[in-house]
Amino acid sequence: MNLFTHMRIGQRLGLAFAISIAFSLLLAAYARTALIRINDELALMVDDRLVKVQQLELVKDNVNITAQSVRNTLLLPDADGKLRQLAEAERVAKLNGELFDKLDASIKSDKGRLLLADVIQDRTRFVASVRQVIALANKGESDAARDLLLGETQALQVKYFQGLEALIEFQRELMHDSAKATDSTVDF
């Protein structure tokens, strides 16, 4: 304390300003680090997790289009209409294949990989059943195709959707965790 009493007022003011500037620089460095962490979490949410949820929702939409197209194939009397419906079912099946390739490349967590593997297995079963319905319809066995569509295929679609919902919910949980991490970064 003796040191400060022997300093002139100008030196004391200069020391006080230097300390104030040092604290300001430390605060600015902390704020910059916090903003970088927040930016990283937001980028992860927007560029990764939200994209996966959108892709999974699109898969669900495409599965519904497939189911409608196959059903319409059984209901339409003309061959041209049936061909258009089957072409639409093939188009969305191809889109889903591409979406699953993207999901397979982007999902890295162990739980996410397990959920994705379950969904892919459900998809394989659903697609096989849809192909059986189409084969029966092409043979002219409309009653058998209808029974298969309304029985096994519909049950497989429900299971497929449950798997997709589980994966979507997992991605939403990860988004929620990122939001919490972002929130805790700015708590003092």
Side-chain angles (χ1 to χ4, degrees):
M1 204 60 163
N2 221 358
L3 174 70
F4 293 114
T5 56
H6 295 300
M7 293 176 78
R8 286 183 279 167
I9 191 77
Q11 290 174 331
R12 285 188 223 168
L13 285 173
L15 182 62
F17 281 127
I19 291 171
S20 175
I21 289 171
F23 279 132
S24 295
L25 289 174
L26 286 172
L27 182 61
Y30 172 77
R32 178 171 168 76
T33 304
L35 286 173
I36 288 170
R37 281 186 284 180
I38 290 170
N39 186 51
D40 291 345
E41 285 294 329
L42 289 175
L44 181 64
M45 264 196 290
V46 172
D47 297 335
D48 182 61
R49 294 175 178 156
L50 182 61
V51 170
K52 290 174 189 168
V53 169
Q54 291 170 333
Q55 289 170 336
L56 290 164
E57 292 289 348
L58 186 55
V59 167
K60 283 177 58 178
D61 292 345
N62 289 342
V63 170
N64 278 328
I65 291 170
T66 299
Q68 283 178 329
S69 295
V70 172
R71 183 204 63 216
N72 291 346
T73 299
L74 295 175
L75 295 174
L76 290 172
D78 63 298
D80 287 340
K82 289 180 180 190
L83 287 176
R84 280 194 306 274
Q85 293 298 316
L86 290 175
E88 179 66 6
E90 284 298 320
R91 183 186 71 79
V92 295
K94 182 180 177 193
L95 284 175
N96 275 356
E98 293 168 2
L99 288 169
F100 274 107
D101 289 343
K102 290 177 184 176
L103 288 165
D104 188 43
S106 65
I107 293 177
K108 304 292 184 205
S109 70
D110 291 339
K111 184 176 179 183
R113 299 290 308 160
L114 288 172
L115 289 169
L116 181 63
D118 289 344
V119 169
I120 289 172
Q121 191 175 39
D122 293 339
R123 177 179 184 254
T124 302
R125 291 182 186 131
F126 173 74
V127 169
S129 186
V130 165
R131 292 193 190 288
Q132 284 179 326
V133 170
I134 292 169
L136 288 170
N138 287 339
K139 291 181 192 173
E141 300 177 28
S142 296
D143 291 340
R146 181 197 63 228
D147 293 343
L148 181 60
L149 180 65
L150 295 176
E152 177 186 305
T153 306
Q154 190 173 24
L156 289 170
Q157 182 180 356
V158 168
K159 185 166 179 355
Y160 187 12
F161 271 27
Q162 289 169 343
L164 287 167
E165 283 299 325
L167 191 52
I168 290 169
E169 183 58 32
F170 174 67
Q171 290 300 320
R172 287 185 178 146
E173 286 172 14
L174 292 176
M175 288 172 58
H176 185 67
D177 292 346
S178 289
K180 281 183 180 178
T182 300
D183 191 38
S184 69
T185 300
V186 294
D187 283 346
F188 292 105

